[in-house]
Amino acid sequence: MNILVCISCVPDTTSKINFKEGNSSFESQGVQFVINPNDEFGLTRAIWLQQKSGAKVTVVTVGDESCDPILRKCLAIGADQALRINIQAKDGFQVASILSTICKDKNYDLIITGRESIDYNGGMVGGILATICGIPYLANCIHLEIDGNEVDLQREIDGGKETLKASLPVVIGSQKGLVEEKDLIIPNMRGIMQARQKPLEVISPNEIKPATEILTFQKPDKKGPVKLVDSDNIDELIKLLENEAKVL
Amino acid sequence: MKILAFIESQDGDVKKTGLEIASYSRSIADARGYELVGVGFNIDNTKILESYGLEKFYNIETKEDNFFNVESYSDSISLIVEKEKATIIIVSSSADGRYLGPILSVKINSAYISNVVGLPTKYDPVQVKCSCFTNKAYNEKKSLKDRVILSLSSNSFGLKEQNKTCEFLKSTYVSSTKSLKVTEVDRLKGEVSIADADIVVSGGRGLKGPENWNLIEDLADVLGAATACSKPVSDMGWRPHREHVGQTGKPVASNLYIAVGVSGAIQHLAGINSSKVKVVINNDPEAPFFKAADYGIVGDAFEVVPKLTEKLKARKL
Ligand SMILES: Cc1cc2nc3c(=O)[nH]c(=O)nc-3n(C[C@H](O)[C@H](O)[C@H](O)COP(=O)(O)OP(=O)(O)OC[C@H]3O[C@@H](n4cnc5c(N)ncnc54)[C@H](O)[C@@H]3O)c2cc1C
């Protein structure tokens, strides 16, 4: 079985978000980049399939050479090989379209993308990629079991979950629940050493245009100070919520 | 020109987000003089849509297909997009809306823009404000295609009634042949989901253990609120994962968010930032949450919360 895990390199969750060039682009100086958390849950699930049934796990990212350390980390976690499609994409549509070109070539049985990236939160790469390739997509995937060609799946929905069946190939949008936080693999020394020997191939992208363009960024307005209410005066809080905030 | 609104329902009833989508779409239609067309599946109470400005509504019956099927739904909606020549399509930010949007965008060859938080600022091509970096920032995005799907962030526009005479029509359900099929749906009975809730009550590690969650549940009960929790609380198994909110959990965009014993880490705040009013109850006056909150009580949750619950109960009577 061949598995492709699509990895997005995103600012660490503690990053302060700043912009440059007249608020037209993200300031990446001084920002630590990490594997997008949703993708990491998917990568871990893929490694389990590799350990259980010998699946071959390829990780791919669309990005410039600044993403290489992240791909090396994925290799250290256990992926067999890495691909980097060398372009700084402009939007999720462009990323998905570029990824679809390699998916069509290589006939993966399972393609994993994160539910969404924590930078642009677009939540579109998996769905667009799958649909371009004519493969079904399952968003918000919290359960995946493969038996031969048959797949049992679960999707988290608002206020519950859905159980589904499909046959390979499928594309899933991974998130916490597919594996748990405690299951995430921290690379050990051996993994890190091995990762240096594993292939990391750089590919030039096809000419594909984005579907959207970001014009400007803006930070949220500064908010006023908190109104503190004494713990002996809960009536006051209720009054404020009722009359001032008007939310009760 | 036409705008198409995807109206979501559950068990035959239009959902509140469906009415928000109709209200938002109506405002665009008014601003541009477009006709507003709606589409939905298996809706019984279609009449209400006239009060939210729809002029035409396609109600699609899915017959034997009882569950949401993203392929069939998007194929069926594609037919209407083509028939009506709609150029702006509006979907919600619900789990289903965000699932359907990207897939539909490929089928109708449109741009797809998610996390939309306001009305378009320009048209031809459409330009809108969106949230990004999990609500740590916003951006202004422009569609580079003639057709665009906008996924509106829940609770960012609100409900606006406007009466119209609506023509009710039927349309074909296209049953997909793709292998993916839903076999079962488990919805928590009688519980409000975080996505649909007006009020969310959230508990953190300060509650000490799962046995104390009656504090959160009782308060949520009198408020008709959904319950949520911080990440460590769900990681430790005190509460189910579906309650984990924040940057790596669910986003919250409720009218009121009450955080009890939550410190207010940057990852937690990122996810709940778009809630309109935030209240924090924490015994540490230095907790970062006080910088993000609108109202706060410095105090012991085990004393404050039961009193608050009692007073709210008394107020209701
Ligand atoms: C990659 C990454 C992603 C993350 N994503 C998320 C996320 O999505 N969501 C999230 O929530 N966190 C996330 N976190 C974790 C985050 O950094 C914090 O660790 C977490 O939010 C803290 O949870 P907490 O507030 O419940 O616990 P703590 O930080 O331990 O805070 C407990 C609070 O309770 C107060 N308290 C204690 N006793 C009482 C009492 N009797 N009465 C009142 N108050 C009391 C304390 O003063 C304290 O402020 C993430 C972390 C990382 C590294």
Side-chain angles (χ1 to χ4, degrees), chain A residues 174 217 237 243:
Chain A
S174 58
F217 288 95
L237 177 67
N243 302 326

Side-chain angles (χ1 to χ4, degrees), chain A residues 12-14 37 181, chain B residues 203-208 229-233 244-249 260-268 281-284 287-288 299-302:
Chain A
D12 171 41
T13 54
T14 56
E181 187 82 23
Chain B
R205 211 142 55 170
L207 284 159
K208 312 274 191 286
C229 69
S230 67
K231 175 168 175 286
V233 164
H244 163 192
V245 297
Q247 192 163 14
T248 52
V260 183
V262 179
S263 59
I266 186 168
Q267 300 96 345
H268 187 90
I281 299 170
N282 194 307
N283 61 4
D284 174 9
D300 184 351
F302 294 87

Side-chain angles (χ1 to χ4, degrees), chain A residues 56-60 75 79-83 108 198-201:
Chain A
K56 181 170 177 195
V57 178
T58 305
V59 288
V60 60
L75 294 171
D80 298 294
Q81 60 173 12
L83 305 172
Y108 293 101
K198 291 179 183 173
L200 191 166
E201 189 187 340

Side-chain angles (χ1 to χ4, degrees), chain A residues 11 13-15 17 19 26 37 93 115-116 118-124 127-128 131-132 134-139 153 155-167 176 180-181 210-218 220 223 226-229 231-232 234-235 237-238 240-242 244-245 247-248, chain B residues 68 94-96 98-99 102-103 106 111-115 127 129 132-134 136-145 178-188 193 195 223 231 234-235 241-242 244 247-250 255 266-267 277 279 290-298 304 307-308 311-312 315:
Chain A
T13 54
T14 56
S15 307
I17 303 299
F19 304 105
F26 175 65
F93 171 79
R115 169 190 78 180
E116 67 179 48
I118 61 164
D119 49 6
Y120 295 97
N121 314 100
M124 68 180 87
I128 293 178
T131 311
I132 293 175
I135 302 174
Y137 173 64
L138 188 73
L153 297 151
R155 174 171 76 108
E156 186 172 63
I157 56 175
D158 298 330
K161 63 173 188 247
E162 241 174 38
T163 305
L164 307 95
K165 280 197 180 309
S167 32
K176 183 161 107 170
E180 303 305 330
E181 187 82 23
T212 59
E213 181 187 349
I214 294 177
L215 302 170
T216 54
F217 288 95
Q218 186 192 331
K223 67 168 283 304
V226 61
K227 267 195 192 165
L228 288 180
V229 176
S231 62
D232 296 326
I234 287 172
D235 289 320
L237 177 67
I238 295 176
L240 285 168
L241 293 178
E242 198 167 39
E244 190 179 83
V247 286
L248 287 186
Chain B
F68 177 78
S94 72
D96 290 352
R98 285 179 64 95
Y99 186 14
I103 292 175
V106 176
Y112 170 72
I113 301 180
S114 49
N115 309 309
Q127 196 172 308
K129 183 177 173 183
C132 58
F133 296 98
T134 332
K136 286 181 189 167
Y138 297 100
N139 60 31
E140 183 90 13
K141 237 182 217 166
K142 182 168 98 176
S143 166
L144 299 176
K145 295 199 175 186
K178 289 231 173 91
S179 72
L180 185 67
K181 292 269 150 38
V182 179
T183 54
E184 203 185 317
V185 175
D186 293 314
R187 267 209 185 81
L188 304 159
S193 76
L223 291 168
K231 175 168 175 286
S234 85
D235 285 344
H241 286 320
R242 60 168 190 276
H244 163 192
Q247 192 163 14
T248 52
K250 287 209 172 75
N255 286 330
I266 186 168
Q267 300 96 345
V277 176
V279 176
F290 285 104
K291 292 209 171 64
D294 302 287
Y295 302 99
I297 293 183
V298 179
V304 175
K307 273 199 251 168
L308 178 60
K311 291 204 184 275
L312 286 166
R315 171 181 164 271

Side-chain angles (χ1 to χ4, degrees), chain B residues 6-41:
Chain B
F6 172 41
I7 307 295
E8 284 176 56
S9 61
Q10 192 173 316
D11 305 324
D13 278 333
V14 173
K15 290 189 14 176
K16 196 181 122 200
T17 92
L19 299 179
E20 188 178 24
I21 293 304
S23 307
Y24 177 82
S25 306
R26 183 70 250 163
S27 285
I28 297 180
D30 286 345
R32 302 293 294 171
Y34 291 173
E35 187 186 351
L36 173 55
V37 182
V39 56
F41 295 82

